[in-house]
Amino acid sequence: MVGGVEVAQPGERGIGHHGLHPGVDGPEGDGLTPGEARPPHREALPVDLRAIGDPTDQDRHVEGLAPRVDGLPGLAPGPAQVAVVVEEHCEAGLGERLGERGQRHAAGRREPVAHHHARHGVVGVGPLGQPEVAFQDDAVGGGYGHDRRCGHGQMLGRGAAGRRGGARRERGAGSPMAQHPFHDVAIVGIHNTRQARVLDGHDDRTITFEAALGAIADAGLEVRDVDGVVGPLGSDFLYQSRNGPMWRSMNALGIPALLEGAMAIASGQATTVLFATGGAGSYTQRASTAPWTRPTNEFVAAYGMFTAAEFALMARRHMHLHGTTPEQMAHVAAVIRNNGHAHPDAVYSGRGPFTVEDVLSSRMVADPFHLLECAMTSEGGAAVVLTRADRAADLPNVPVHILGGGTDYYGPAYQHPPVWDLGGNQRADLVAGYVGRRAAEESFACAGLGPDDVDVCEFYDPFSFEIIRQFEAYGFCAPGEGGHYVTSGVIEPGGRHPVTTDGGTMSFSHGGAAVQLLQRVIRGVEQLRGTCASMQVEGAEVAMCTGGGAGALFTDVLLLGKERP
Amino acid sequence: MTLLKPQEGDIPLPVPGVVSAPYWEGCAAGELRFQRCGTCGGATHTPATLCAHCTSTDLRWEVSSGRGTVYSWTTVWRPQTPAFEVPYVPLIVEMEEGWFMLADLVGCEHDAVHVGLPVEVTFHTHPGGVTLPYFAPRT
């Protein structure tokens, strides 16, 4: 025994071919502590699943098996890296490996794993080097997305049973699966600087750095811990801190940038990634719309286009197709602005409350959007820190995990006519009016969740109609029903799907070209931590954060959860 | 009664690129041009290198009938820049040849617009020297 874990000497046995140990969860495994074992040489992998027999009634079933090393059989020492054995079961209904079970060896990750020995559980077969934590008593669930896969073929379920909507454990439905792509990632630090219409004495760099330092402090980390940066000013941050050489991304925009940082951690390119963004001092010509709303382009600029007009052309088409009304859109704006009214740090804190009539009587900007249905312009910074999930356990905040994420694009924003029916060959059944649907479907499939599981809808709200569109696009309601859906009592605080709970871009902040895109994620994290200063959704476990919109021909989706996937 | 009319102020004017130059040359000549695919016959706009329907690079310029119907619209009251006179009415027009383009409405009052309104292209040369297509209701 080494560290409580049985190990074998190199060459002592053919590690890939030993039999299953039915009693491995029994007394001889008790009292063991999490630890590491040494690997076999890689030739020991993989395992022939078909060589191992079916589960029998003699197999032991142990209650309350926690994710820990459990005296795994077959562990073997090796020269340098970590190896573990993961046993797994496959049950009826799981396709080609019907009724089979087997063992699996994996190497390369220094973290404790559990021996999975549940009679009715399933864990996935990941790529080599990715042992996974298994949970006993995870049920194979039906439900949403059972025939879908996320991009890498993984399905992930909720480990916790008893949640409404039923057990959604779906790993193993079909082909062998890898570990969840963001299993190793946690969001541990967030920070919004002060947000205001104008932040005197700041520019993009100073407010971005303030956000960065705030998020690092919130994470309980030091600047020296950062070994990856995302965002245009990340390079400045790493230079000034002399923290290089490190991984860097120039991705600037919200969820795709965050996912890139998460992937850097998941793939081992970085351990702790900082994504900071900020805007101040760039909007000075106030007679014009903000510079980020009117990119120069030969096919739109001469016609006076800017974001409100682009999104209005999408909304108008929906009104034509489905009879969506100005009152329904104004209701969305009133709800979101009232959320901001109640938020102590919102730019428009205390500026409400607003009624539908207030919204409809505000001046028209771009028909059908009145002033109170449009994003504001403001200044501010925001930042997020991600690190490895195993490290998150030692940090002060409740870690928040990425359950799924995706990005849908139909082209560059604001250069081509924003045609609702613009299609594409990847998904002939979808149009730009529902951009984000594919991303949502894949995110839900990756998480093993569906719209009913979402507790908080931190939807990006550049214009009121976009909320209606997103509820349709993501499958919360049918196409054309979004207007009725948002006025049915579901999006208000206390409703089934409360939306944009800090006031969003209409009332919390829109601090430049990119800051506000990250702030949906920050608000989702606040909700899952349970630390919202206002409009806290009690017991929130899953938050859906989004960015973009049909008028910009893109939508990004991120599913956050409290449970490690 | 105030008819919508082309913008005459110091608005941002298009700077043609290599691919789009024939489109703007057409406007200057009073022709609304689009690209027709020599492989599949599909129409493409905005000016492109690849056919939107089959990805062929065999795109040939054709002259549109200039007729279409309003697919979507908005009336703008808060201008992009002070150079624009409000209101103005950006449209997406579905052209007879099966392509979509964006331009502003002229020649009628702003509240005459609706989805399905038949329109026809009309050209206006801006004081800056660039000829822009607009759309007016078909009579």
Side-chain angles (χ1 to χ4, degrees):
Chain A
M1 303 283 284
V2 173
V5 177
E6 178 189 6
V7 296
Q9 296 303 309
E12 183 175 317
R13 55 183 158 180
I15 196 166
H17 297 92
H18 61 73
L20 202 61
H21 291 218
V24 72
D25 287 325
E28 71 273 27
D30 290 347
L32 302 181
T33 55
E36 297 176 353
R38 297 297 172 184
H41 48 79
R42 294 182 68 85
E43 291 72 46
L45 308 161
V47 177
D48 179 4
L49 289 167
R50 294 178 185 279
I52 301 170
D54 293 342
T56 71
D57 290 337
Q58 279 70 50
D59 289 344
R60 294 277 295 274
H61 180 97
V62 180
E63 299 296 338
L65 182 63
R68 60 191 174 94
V69 172
D70 264 309
L72 302 174
L75 292 171
Q81 293 194 331
V82 177
V84 297
V85 177
V86 177
E87 290 194 15
E88 54 189 350
H89 297 230
C90 299
E91 293 201 336
L94 299 179
E96 60 189 15
R97 297 189 298 144
L98 179 70
E100 297 177 353
R101 64 175 181 175
Q103 293 180 328
R104 158 170 172 269
H105 306 259
R109 295 297 180 93
R110 294 179 181 276
E111 63 182 59
V113 300
H115 172 204
H116 183 83
H117 199 60
R119 292 280 309 285
H120 51 276
V122 177
V123 296
V125 179
L128 299 183
Q130 294 185 4
E132 62 183 76
V133 177
F135 296 86
Q136 189 158 14
D137 295 329
D138 284 345
V140 178
Y144 186 89
H146 63 277
D147 59 346
R148 295 172 178 144
R149 303 285 181 277
C150 70
H152 311 287
Q154 303 95 333
M155 305 285 285
L156 177 77
R158 307 292 299 274
R163 182 175 166 74
R164 66 170 176 271
R168 293 187 180 274
R169 186 86 176 167
E170 293 172 1
R171 304 173 94 160
S175 60
M177 296 147 300
Q179 180 172 273
H180 188 279
F182 299 115
H183 172 76
D184 287 329
V185 182
I187 299 174
V188 295
I190 53 174
H191 187 66
N192 280 315
T193 69
R194 189 169 78 87
Q195 313 285 315
R197 289 277 287 167
V198 176
L199 287 172
D200 286 329
H202 274 291
D203 60 17
D204 291 352
R205 182 172 283 96
T206 61
I207 202 65
T208 298
F209 274 50
E210 182 179 320
L213 295 171
I216 293 168
D218 177 67
L221 294 170
E222 305 288 340
V223 171
R224 285 281 174 264
D225 293 314
V226 174
D227 68 352
V229 288
V230 181
L233 290 171
S235 283
D236 282 20
F237 190 87
L238 90 81
Y239 179 79
Q240 290 193 20
S241 63
R242 300 298 196 275
N243 259 12
M246 71 166 69
W247 178 88
R248 184 199 76 165
S249 162
M250 289 294 279
N251 203 331
L253 297 178
I255 289 168
L258 186 90
L259 287 171
E260 197 172 330
M263 286 187 277
I265 293 172
S267 61
Q269 298 178 81
T271 299
T272 300
V273 172
L274 166 70
F275 174 20
T277 176
S282 62
Y283 183 19
T284 54
Q285 297 176 318
R286 297 276 170 166
S288 299
T289 63
W292 54 83
T293 69
R294 43 185 175 92
T296 299
N297 179 269
E298 60 184 309
F299 295 103
V300 297
Y303 299 112
M305 296 298 291
F306 62 106
T307 48
E310 299 273 358
F311 279 81
L313 289 169
M314 283 287 186
R316 175 71 56 196
R317 191 64 191 174
H318 193 273
M319 295 169 77
H320 172 74
L321 290 171
H322 300 296
T324 306
T325 67
E327 288 75 17
Q328 289 166 338
M329 290 186 275
H331 180 80
V332 170
V335 168
I336 292 176
R337 285 186 174 271
N338 288 341
N339 289 346
H341 162 72
H343 192 299
D345 299 326
V347 171
Y348 290 146
S349 178
R351 291 282 287 267
F354 297 95
T355 65
V356 168
E357 291 68 33
D358 292 332
V359 174
L360 292 176
S361 61
S362 62
R363 64 182 169 85
M364 192 68 87
V365 173
D367 195 333
F369 297 140
H370 304 78
L371 179 67
L372 293 180
E373 296 178 89
C374 302
M376 74 171 85
T377 58
S378 59
E379 299 181 343
V384 169
V385 173
L386 308 107
T387 193
R388 285 186 55 89
D390 53 3
R391 186 168 195 192
D394 300 324
L395 299 176
N397 292 314
V398 173
V400 170
H401 299 278
I402 298 171
L403 306 182
T407 66
D408 277 2
Y409 285 69
Y410 276 92
Y414 317 134
Q415 297 186 19
H416 308 286
V419 177
W420 178 273
D421 291 298
L422 175 69
N425 287 299
Q426 292 291 338
R427 282 283 297 269
D429 59 320
L430 298 181
V431 295
Y434 288 121
V435 62
R437 173 170 293 182
R438 187 196 68 128
E441 288 176 350
E442 295 189 354
S443 297
F444 280 133
C446 190
L449 301 175
D452 284 349
D453 296 303
V454 176
D455 299 311
V456 191
C457 295
E458 290 298 337
F459 290 176
Y460 193 65
D461 61 326
F463 301 95
S464 56
F465 167 72
E466 272 299 305
I467 301 298
I468 292 172
R469 186 194 74 80
Q470 289 179 81
F471 278 116
E472 296 179 13
Y474 306 149
F476 287 78
C477 63
E481 294 182 359
H484 297 292
Y485 187 80
V486 298
T487 53
S488 65
V490 295
I491 67 170
E492 289 85 349
R496 181 67 191 82
H497 294 295
V499 73
T500 318
T501 59
D502 60 2
T505 70
M506 295 189 204
S507 187
F508 181 73
S509 192
H510 190 309
V515 185
Q516 75 289 348
L517 286 162
L518 184 58
Q519 285 169 331
R520 289 308 91 226
V521 177
I522 290 176
R523 184 61 172 182
V525 172
E526 288 176 345
Q527 285 285 2
L528 297 181
R529 286 182 176 181
T531 58
C532 293
S534 63
M535 304 298 178
Q536 174 68 48
V537 176
E538 293 303 322
E541 291 184 44
V542 175
M544 185 172 188
C545 310
T546 67
L553 301 185
F554 79 94
T555 296
D556 307 314
V557 172
L558 188 71
L559 286 172
L560 298 178
K562 293 177 74 170
E563 187 175 305
R564 187 179 179 183
Chain B
M1 174 168 157
T2 306
L3 295 184
L4 297 169
K5 58 184 188 302
Q7 300 287 339
E8 299 281 354
D10 185 19
I11 63 173
L13 293 173
V15 178
V18 171
V19 174
S20 64
Y23 172 86
W24 294 113
E25 290 163 7
C27 291
E31 295 180 347
L32 184 64
R33 297 178 184 172
F34 68 103
Q35 290 168 299
R36 177 82 75 186
C37 179
T39 302
C40 77
T44 289
H45 178 84
T46 52
T49 301
L50 303 179
C51 169
H53 309 277
C54 75
T55 74
S56 167
T57 56
D58 183 16
L59 295 177
R60 305 164 185 184
W61 288 101
E62 285 191 12
V63 178
S64 167
S65 71
R67 292 188 295 269
T69 57
V70 172
Y71 172 88
S72 192
W73 60 273
T74 179
T75 304
V76 176
W77 295 90
R78 191 278 189 249
Q80 175 208 73
T81 72
F84 286 86
E85 280 188 34
V86 294
Y88 56 94
V89 181
L91 310 168
I92 296 174
V93 178
E94 185 170 10
M95 304 302 297
E96 281 185 342
E97 299 91 357
W99 53 286
F100 294 92
M101 74 170 282
L102 187 149
D104 288 351
L105 181 66
V106 296
C108 63
E109 294 185 78
H110 72 82
D111 55 4
V113 65
H114 59 87
V115 173
L117 176 72
V119 292
E120 185 164 23
V121 73
T122 177
F123 294 96
H124 174 75
T125 300
H126 185 271
V130 176
T131 301
L132 293 169
Y134 287 82
F135 283 92
R138 255 186 281 163
T139 53

